[in-house]
Every structure is written in C-alpha cells, then in structure tokens.
C-alpha cells in the first residue's frame, strides 16, 4: 500500500513563492508518474504538474507553465513543486498523486492510483 504525505502549504502573498513536497512510501517508484493536482473553492480538481519516470519528462498545465516547476533533484519516492509568481487563482488544496503504471496520460486524474491528504495553499495579501 502506497502512502503519500504532502507538506509545505500555507499562506503566500501574490507574486510570492512557496514550495510543496510529497514523499511516498510502501512501494517502488522507479516507473511511476508522480503528479500534483489541485482543487480550488467551488472548482473541479485539475492537473497542475507531473514528473514521469517512464520518460524522464516534466509536464505542466498551461495555467502554471513558466511559474511552477518540479525541481530536478527529486528522490525516487518524492516530488516537489516550486511555486513562483503566485496568483490568487492558485488558491486551492494541492494533492500529490502516484500512477504506478506510468501512463502516458499524465494529466488524467483517473490514471492515478494513490493520493495524499492534500495541503492548503492560499494566495492572498
């Protein structure tokens, strides 16, 4: 059974930066996709970013491209999300997720098998 634990959420001012971390346990992660999704108030859950260990690439939603990054120094069982130039619309609960099969559909939440408990990010002055 895979368990995911997120950390790093909190309050950030517009234009500010915040870093989220997710650490997994309970299985091997060498061929997985590890991703971040978010759900804002009154909104559906949406894809944010993913690290594919199948092809070694990072994928980003258009809404965060150029502002959010997944650093290149992640441990095999972990994924971080560096959030820069934060906007009010980034306010959401952020969830870490793992797809153990490493699907090509990295932005499809139905492909993900395990989820963290979520961490709140609030962008406000």
């Amino acid at each position: 059974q895979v368990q995911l634990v997120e950390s790093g959420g909190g309050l950030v001012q517009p234009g500010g930066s915040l870093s989220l971390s997710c650490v997994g346990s309970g299985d091997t992660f060498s061929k997985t996709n590890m991703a971040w999704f978010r759900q804002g108030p009154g909104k559906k859950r949406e894809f944010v970013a993913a690290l594919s260990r199948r092809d070694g690439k990072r994928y980003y939603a258009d809404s965060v491209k150029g502002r959010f990054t997944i650093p290149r120094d992640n441990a095999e069982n972990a994924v971080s999300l560096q959030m820069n130039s934060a906007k009010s619309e980034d306010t959401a609960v952020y969830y870490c997720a793992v797809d153990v099969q490493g699907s090509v559909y990295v932005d499809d939440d139905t492909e993900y098998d395990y989820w963290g408990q979520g961490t709140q990010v609030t962008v406000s002055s």
Side-chain angles (χ1 to χ4, degrees):
Q1 183 74 10
V2 172
Q3 292 187 320
L4 302 172
V5 178
E6 302 114 333
S7 61
L11 176 66
V12 59
Q13 292 188 339
S17 298
L18 198 67
S19 181
L20 306 182
S21 296
C22 172
V23 179
S25 62
D27 204 336
T28 59
F29 293 80
S30 60
K31 301 297 183 184
T32 64
N33 294 336
M34 295 188 75
W36 291 94
F37 288 79
R38 67 185 182 186
Q39 187 166 17
K43 298 181 180 179
K44 293 175 61 177
R45 186 166 60 190
E46 64 176 359
F47 170 75
V48 177
L51 170 61
S52 171
R53 292 195 167 85
R54 173 181 52 81
D55 62 13
K57 294 181 179 180
R58 286 148 177 82
Y59 298 85
Y60 300 96
D62 288 342
S63 59
V64 306
K65 203 170 292 184
R67 301 188 298 119
F68 293 8
T69 59
I70 294 177
R72 295 196 172 275
D73 58 348
N74 294 277
E76 184 176 278
N77 65 331
V79 64
S80 298
L81 183 69
Q82 177 64 41
M83 303 169 58
N84 297 326
S85 303
K87 302 178 179 180
S88 58
E89 52 263 44
D90 296 325
T91 294
V93 178
Y94 284 70
Y95 297 92
C96 176
V98 168
D99 166 15
V100 297
Q101 299 298 322
S103 166
V104 297
Y105 304 107
V106 298
D107 60 349
D108 183 350
D109 63 354
T110 64
E111 295 287 343
Y112 288 82
D113 308 288
Y114 299 99
W115 294 81
Q117 79 286 357
T119 185
Q120 177 70 47
V121 172
T122 301
V123 183
S124 175
S125 56

